[in-house]
Amino acid sequence: MLELQNADVFYGKAQALHHVDFAIAPGGIAALIGRNGAGKSTLLRALAGGQAVASGARRLDGADITRLAAHECSRRGIALVPENRQIFPSLTAEENLRLPAAIHPPGYWTLERVYGLFPRLAERRATNGTSLSGGEQQMLAIGRALMANPRYLLLDEPTEGLAPVVVDAIIQAIGEINAQGTAVVLVEQNFKVPRLLAQQFHLIDSGRIVWNGGPEAIAEAQDRMMIGH
Ligand SMILES: Nc1ncnc2c1ncn2[C@@H]1O[C@H](COP(=O)(O)OP(=O)(O)OP(=O)(O)O)[C@@H](O)[C@H]1O
Ligand SMILES: [Mg+2]
């Protein structure tokens, strides 16, 4: 279980997360949904160790990891694919994919399996990061995160701005990744993609979790979003 408990996060004096409780179970898929500026990316970074939790706690399987830095959380199996993807532009796709292997023990996900998941990446393996399309960069960012063989994969708006056919490929890949045992936190601005994948849904607004529910209650959550809770 990866959790935030009663977490407060600040940027300077501005509070971005207020008393946030969030938990993802091993092997599950949870969706975090909210509008622009709601605090979605901040919450993901707080889960992954990239954002300091000022009060409250970050826990992994019950252990307090509040003070662990991002690279230490990464070594414990938490992988974040950020909104901007952070592909190294001067490295080829394959060089980007090989980076995590230097610091993470081997596991299910290998170069060959990542290429099996995203055949397009195999075709583009010798292409520099900058020359990849948005969809290819997203596949590469997910593939690179998998090369660390994470237990928890945190995806920040992985389908934003992508063509429908690429979105379909990403949705299918997330399903396959989860079927191999990796838990996924999926951040999106609406329910369109998450409703195809997730078992639990969380709404965030103005830095607060305002609603949690299962697939049967999505209509209720959408009503809440419409009226601006
Ligand atoms: N590095 C930062 N420094 C100062 N304030 C920040 C920083 N990053 C985010 N914020 C502020 O924190 C709040 C939450 O931002 P965050 O990026 O987490 O929202 P989001 O839900 O991911 O939004 P988006 O849908 O635009 O990606 C916003 O008010 C934002 O302006
Ligand atoms: Mg964001």
Side-chain angles (χ1 to χ4, degrees):
M1 187 84 91
L2 175 63
E3 298 171 85
L4 291 175
Q5 291 177 334
N6 202 20
D8 289 331
V9 168
F10 293 83
Y11 294 109
K13 286 183 180 159
Q15 189 163 0
L17 296 185
H18 303 260
H19 312 303
V20 163
D21 287 316
F22 186 94
I24 168 83
I29 303 186
L32 176 66
I33 294 160
R35 68 180 100 186
N36 276 325
K40 305 180 297 297
S41 300
T42 303
L43 193 157
L44 274 201
R45 287 195 297 269
L47 277 172
Q51 194 81 58
V53 173
S55 65
R58 168 170 53 239
R59 289 185 182 277
L60 181 61
D61 301 331
D64 188 333
I65 59 164
T66 311
R67 301 286 161 236
L68 292 193
H71 70 276
E72 294 167 313
C73 292
S74 162
R75 284 231 297 274
R76 283 167 173 75
I78 305 167
L80 170 65
V81 178
E83 263 172 304
N84 64 10
R85 299 165 190 148
Q86 290 176 357
I87 301 302
F88 291 97
S90 61
L91 300 183
T92 66
E94 185 151 318
E95 286 165 346
N96 270 279
L97 286 174
R98 286 187 185 280
L99 288 173
I103 42 174
H104 290 274
Y108 176 83
W109 289 105
T110 59
L111 206 51
E112 288 64 37
R113 286 194 168 124
V114 168
Y115 286 148
L117 185 69
F118 294 122
R120 183 70 188 149
L121 283 186
E123 296 166 18
R124 303 284 273 161
R125 66 173 78 194
T127 305
N128 268 11
T130 36
S131 304
L132 299 174
S133 71
E136 290 163 354
Q137 287 190 22
Q138 188 61 58
M139 292 173 190
L140 179 56
I142 294 172
R144 191 178 60 187
L146 288 176
M147 291 293 283
N149 281 292
R151 291 175 57 216
Y152 295 91
L153 180 64
L154 316 182
L155 301 174
D156 201 344
E157 301 199 38
T159 66
E160 190 196 6
L162 302 181
V165 60
V166 183
V167 172
D168 289 346
I170 303 268
I171 291 169
Q172 194 182 333
I174 294 170
E176 289 178 30
I177 292 163
N178 182 248
Q180 290 304 329
T182 301
V184 176
V185 179
L186 178 59
V187 159
E188 292 283 348
Q189 296 209 10
N190 57 53
F191 283 89
K192 204 168 153 206
V193 170
R195 71 184 310 155
L196 302 173
L197 290 162
Q199 303 101 15
Q200 51 171 122
F201 301 83
H202 311 273
L203 274 189
I204 183 168
D205 191 22
S206 302
R208 290 181 168 83
I209 297 288
V210 294
W211 183 89
N212 302 292
E216 72 292 343
I218 287 176
E220 173 194 322
Q222 284 174 319
D223 288 347
R224 276 195 88 112
M225 287 182 84
M226 299 281 280
I227 56 177
H229 280 274

